[in-house]
Amino acid sequence: LMMVHMTLLQLLEPSGAPGFMALTLGIAAYGCVALYGIFSLGVFDNPPRPVRHDQAARRHLVTAVALYAAGLVAIALTFDPSEQKSTGVHQLTGECGVEATDITGNIRHLYLCVSNFTEEYDFHCVPPREIPGNGEEWYTVCGTPHEDFPRFLFGVTLRAAMAVFLHALCMWW
């Protein structure tokens, strides 16, 4: 279901990558589903339908979501991506510029071009003799520093706050 949703939204963007139009339509679609749920529950009926909920259980759930969100913000504050190393299976390395169509119909690079790529990782922590050659898929990549840490932290904090707010709103509505 997720792949169908992603494919439909990616068709709206000329580049195939998620953009403003896909985000807007995605938010609108989920908003419609949420509104349908709210109205079908009779939240705005006069008088509203009686709903029995345990207040303590709701408080515990909202507290759990708030602790989870605080944990995400703490991780964003504490850990430096440039100190991260990932050794394992990654995109196959190979000839630069070879394109292929992925399962959603989008064009992507078939191989990782080791000499010229723009990703949020590089090979700065790898000894030169261990930089992968063509045809390798098991290698080590190194994280890179944030381009704009305050903006990144603002985004993580805003998403965490919105998650807690919306969860609390849903629990008491």
Side-chain angles (χ1 to χ4, degrees):
L1 186 59
M2 179 191 79
M3 291 304 293
V4 171
H5 180 235
M6 279 179 35
T7 301
L8 291 174
L9 290 178
Q10 287 177 341
L11 290 174
L12 300 172
E13 300 293 336
S15 67
F20 180 75
M21 180 63 76
L23 175 66
T24 304
L25 203 61
I27 289 171
Y30 285 112
C32 289
V33 170
L35 286 175
Y36 173 76
I38 289 169
F39 285 109
S40 67
L41 288 174
V43 172
F44 296 112
D45 290 353
N46 196 6
R49 298 180 203 162
V51 178
R52 286 176 261 150
H53 290 291
D54 182 13
Q55 292 285 1
R58 286 193 277 188
R59 273 194 301 276
H60 290 307
L61 287 171
V62 171
T63 301
V65 170
L67 288 172
Y68 177 76
L72 292 177
V73 173
I75 288 169
L77 281 168
T78 306
F79 295 100
D80 180 8
S82 65
E83 296 177 7
Q84 303 303 309
K85 288 172 64 173
S86 173
T87 300
V89 177
H90 299 286
Q91 184 176 3
L92 188 64
T93 58
E95 186 180 336
C96 299
V98 178
E99 294 184 338
T101 305
D102 66 15
I103 62 171
T104 63
N106 292 312
I107 303 296
R108 66 174 187 90
H109 291 284
L110 183 59
Y111 305 111
L112 174 69
C113 175
V114 175
S115 62
N116 181 23
F117 65 94
T118 54
E119 300 290 342
E120 294 181 354
Y121 58 86
D122 58 22
F123 299 105
H124 76 270
C125 66
V126 178
R129 60 181 167 68
E130 292 182 23
I131 292 177
N134 286 350
E136 293 187 43
E137 62 182 4
W138 184 278
Y139 50 90
T140 299
V141 294
C142 318
T144 57
H146 292 289
E147 289 182 14
D148 186 355
F149 181 72
R151 184 176 176 189
F152 166 76
L153 185 60
F154 174 75
V156 171
T157 305
L158 181 64
R159 288 183 182 120
M162 290 298 296
V164 173
F165 172 75
L166 291 173
H167 189 77
L169 184 66
C170 290
M171 295 304 313
W172 271 276
W173 210 357

